[in-house]
Amino acid sequence: MSFTIAIIGRPNVGKSTLFNRLVGQKLALVDDMPGVTRDRREGEAKLHDLHFTIIDTAGLDEGPKGSLTARMQEQTETAIALADALFFVIDARVGLTPADRAFADFARRADKPVLLLANKSEGKHGELGAMESYALGLGDPIAISAEHGEGMGELYDAVSKLVPPTDDEEDEREETDEERAARPIRVAIVGRPNAGKSTLINHLLGEERLLTSPEAGTTRDSIAVEIEHKGRSFRIYDTAGLRRRSRIEEKLEKLSVADALRAVRFAEVVVLMMDAQNRFEEQDLRIADLIEREGRALVLAVNKWDLMDGKPGQISALRRDADHWLPQVAGAPIVAVSGLMGEGIDRLMQAIVEAYAIWNRRVPTAALNRWFEGAIADNPPPAVSGRRLKLNYITQTKARPPSFVLFCSRADAIPQSYLRYLVNSMRETFELPGTPVRITLREKANPFAHKRKRPN
């Protein structure tokens, strides 16, 4: 395991901004409002030739036992226990506060190397605050500006004494086919607020890794966790609940939703989680449509199934409802689960693996040609404006999702209804349930177009 550093400090001192700077991406949400970060988030940091794991944490704060604030504190304490060293961050423009002094004692008791970072040090006020931080007794402060990238050289010098340099040539080596096959499946768990996404992931992990609460909107960042299930690796992203755009007013929720949508775009399989008692509502259908447009493999999970009355035939009713409301992803696997009780978890993980395999499927060319000839013979393309449409041949260009190019005449005249017929026939023939299927139309070049007509 790589060297791990946890970023700690009171709320709103710039921990997430520093995290984003070190991982080279805007992974953590950043806002002026304190307490944006709630769960701990891990990323692979790079500082020149130093590579290490960095953990962003919630701001150190106190709260009643069992409260959301107290559980955020527990997440931070877990991050400190996992870390090999700590970045203790203060706001140099504000100067030392009683909370900084109290939490400095907390960091000291961790008995791990601590680097004191005086963030927001740019300008005269920042310099004074950095000097004041000597009083914490954590050694010489390193004056930085995470937002503007200042002081990274000094930070490198300090970190290099803890982390051994990495050989960049080894990092840039191309991965083998075996390594690529062993990579974890990237899975995003999405749905409306309070659908039970974090509870499900906690059950998979066997620990209270993600904060949960009856209050909707507890999750803000898209948090990635590594899970091993029956010999298969998964990288699962917990995301913020997605509400209708008209209901999103706060800037922070807009950032959370944007982060969730980004998780969908980078995922390979997306699990749409619905509440068993309020399933297939309008927002659920909108989210499913978004997943299909992004070309991700889809698995439907109906959570809180333990609250249902257990009447016979309910699972069959789920299948009928799914095909009725989501014809664009007909046959998408649907699994009844209870994240709280752990029911249906094995079936859900198996559905993810199967959906991933279908999403990666390539159809043999010979079989594709046989199907194409039969599909056209059974249902020829309609004539448009009295002229017959000619479909020449079809070929698969890529998988992830299965994508095909259809060569034809008058591509703009082929009705969407006929393309849907081809897609549905292809799903049934080649067993492609649920996964998006793309057909791109391309007009075949006329070999005689360059020749001039002979004069009479």
Side-chain angles (χ1 to χ4, degrees):
M1 186 176 177
S2 66
F3 195 89
T4 301
I5 300 177
I7 308 174
I8 64 172
R10 62 181 177 81
N12 213 31
V13 294
K15 298 184 298 297
S16 295
T17 304
L18 176 61
F19 175 88
N20 288 341
R21 169 72 60 181
L22 293 172
V23 299
Q25 300 179 62
K26 291 186 177 180
L27 295 181
L29 298 185
V30 176
D31 194 72
D32 292 336
M33 186 180 76
V36 171
T37 302
R38 288 179 170 175
D39 292 289
R40 66 182 191 269
R41 176 195 279 272
E42 296 183 13
E44 294 305 313
K46 182 178 180 181
L47 195 58
H48 190 45
D49 59 349
L50 302 178
H51 296 254
F52 51 94
T53 299
I54 192 77
I55 306 178
D56 185 24
T57 66
L60 291 164
D61 210 346
E62 297 178 346
K65 187 175 181 180
S67 67
L68 183 60
T69 301
R71 286 186 289 138
M72 289 163 61
Q73 174 82 348
E74 290 171 5
Q75 289 283 328
T76 300
E77 291 172 0
T78 302
I80 292 172
L82 293 172
D84 300 300
L86 307 176
F87 285 166
F88 186 84
V89 184
I90 67 163
D91 186 336
R93 287 185 302 197
V94 174
L96 289 188
T97 67
D100 287 323
R101 298 178 188 276
F103 295 131
D105 292 335
F106 180 79
R108 199 178 291 109
R109 288 196 300 272
D111 196 25
K112 295 185 177 183
V114 180
L115 296 182
L116 175 60
L117 308 185
N119 192 29
K120 308 180 188 179
S121 298
E122 64 274 23
K124 188 177 295 185
H125 293 293
E127 293 176 5
L128 293 173
M131 297 296 291
E132 190 180 338
S133 63
Y134 276 101
L136 293 176
L138 294 174
D140 296 343
I142 303 169
I144 66 168
S145 171
E147 184 174 0
H148 299 105
E150 297 178 8
M152 293 297 112
E154 290 77 6
L155 181 60
Y156 170 83
D157 291 339
V159 175
S160 63
K161 297 174 182 177
L162 305 174
V163 182
T166 308
D167 186 355
D168 282 338
E169 290 183 6
E170 183 178 336
D171 271 3
E172 293 172 5
R173 177 180 58 84
E174 288 188 14
E175 62 181 1
T176 64
D177 291 339
E178 291 77 11
E179 289 172 332
R180 193 176 296 111
R183 283 187 307 179
I185 300 174
R186 297 194 302 273
V187 183
I189 312 289
V190 302
R192 289 182 286 124
N194 219 22
K197 302 180 288 295
S198 300
T199 302
L200 174 72
I201 296 174
N202 282 341
H203 196 280
L204 281 168
L205 288 168
E207 60 172 303
E208 195 73 13
R209 168 65 177 82
L210 301 170
L211 294 177
T212 59
S213 169
E215 174 191 350
T218 301
T219 300
R220 288 174 173 170
D221 284 292
S222 293
I223 304 298
V225 295
E226 300 283 348
I227 289 176
E228 192 86 15
H229 187 80
K230 293 191 173 179
R232 194 70 186 257
S233 298
F234 301 84
R235 186 171 179 81
I236 298 187
Y237 294 81
D238 184 29
T239 64
L242 299 172
R243 296 196 298 166
R244 289 207 309 267
R245 185 178 299 178
S246 59
R247 292 189 175 183
I248 301 174
E249 296 178 356
E250 294 184 7
K251 175 187 173 185
L252 183 56
E253 186 174 359
K254 291 180 181 179
L255 292 172
S256 298
V257 169
D259 203 31
L261 297 179
R262 187 161 52 246
V264 169
R265 294 185 182 105
F266 281 96
E268 295 166 317
V269 181
V270 180
V271 176
L272 171 55
M273 185 163 285
M274 296 176 282
D275 190 313
Q277 296 174 312
N278 300 286
R279 57 186 184 265
F280 294 109
E281 294 199 348
E282 182 183 358
Q283 183 64 359
D284 296 325
L285 306 183
R286 289 176 182 269
I287 297 171
D289 193 52
L290 166 72
I291 296 166
E292 193 278 335
R293 291 200 310 272
E294 292 293 338
R296 307 298 102 180
L298 172 65
V299 174
L300 303 171
V302 182
N303 193 28
K304 307 180 184 179
W305 196 250
D306 53 307
L307 301 179
M308 302 300 287
D309 51 21
K311 292 180 180 178
Q314 287 186 332
I315 299 295
S316 300
L318 282 182
R319 178 74 273 160
R320 290 194 301 271
D321 288 346
D323 290 341
H324 170 73
W325 290 109
L326 299 170
Q328 71 273 39
V329 284
I334 184 165
V335 184
V337 300
S338 170
L340 185 63
M341 307 301 294
E343 298 172 2
I345 301 297
D346 287 343
R347 292 194 301 273
L348 176 62
M349 301 308 291
Q350 182 61 32
I352 291 172
V353 172
E354 291 172 359
Y356 177 74
I358 293 171
W359 189 64
N360 282 276
R361 183 166 297 167
R362 280 192 171 272
V363 179
T365 302
L368 187 62
N369 288 331
R370 286 195 299 271
W371 161 80
F372 186 56
E373 291 172 3
I376 294 175
D378 292 342
N379 184 11
V384 178
S385 301
R387 295 170 57 192
R388 187 170 64 90
L389 298 173
K390 187 175 182 181
L391 307 185
N392 300 102
Y393 62 93
I394 190 170
T395 183
Q396 184 172 3
T397 54
K398 70 180 188 72
R400 305 166 62 90
S403 301
F404 305 84
V405 171
L406 173 58
F407 291 86
C408 59
S409 64
R410 303 169 61 203
D412 57 341
I414 296 181
Q416 287 297 314
S417 58
Y418 193 77
L419 290 179
R420 284 196 296 272
Y421 156 71
L422 292 177
V423 167
N424 290 334
S425 175
M426 195 180 296
R427 284 190 196 282
E428 185 176 346
T429 303
F430 300 116
E431 297 182 350
L432 299 171
T435 197
V437 174
R438 302 283 189 256
I439 296 182
T440 303
L441 300 176
R442 188 174 299 169
E443 293 187 12
K444 191 175 181 181
N446 183 354
F448 304 104
H450 66 287
K451 296 185 178 181
R452 296 182 179 178
K453 292 183 178 180
R454 292 181 179 179
N456 294 330

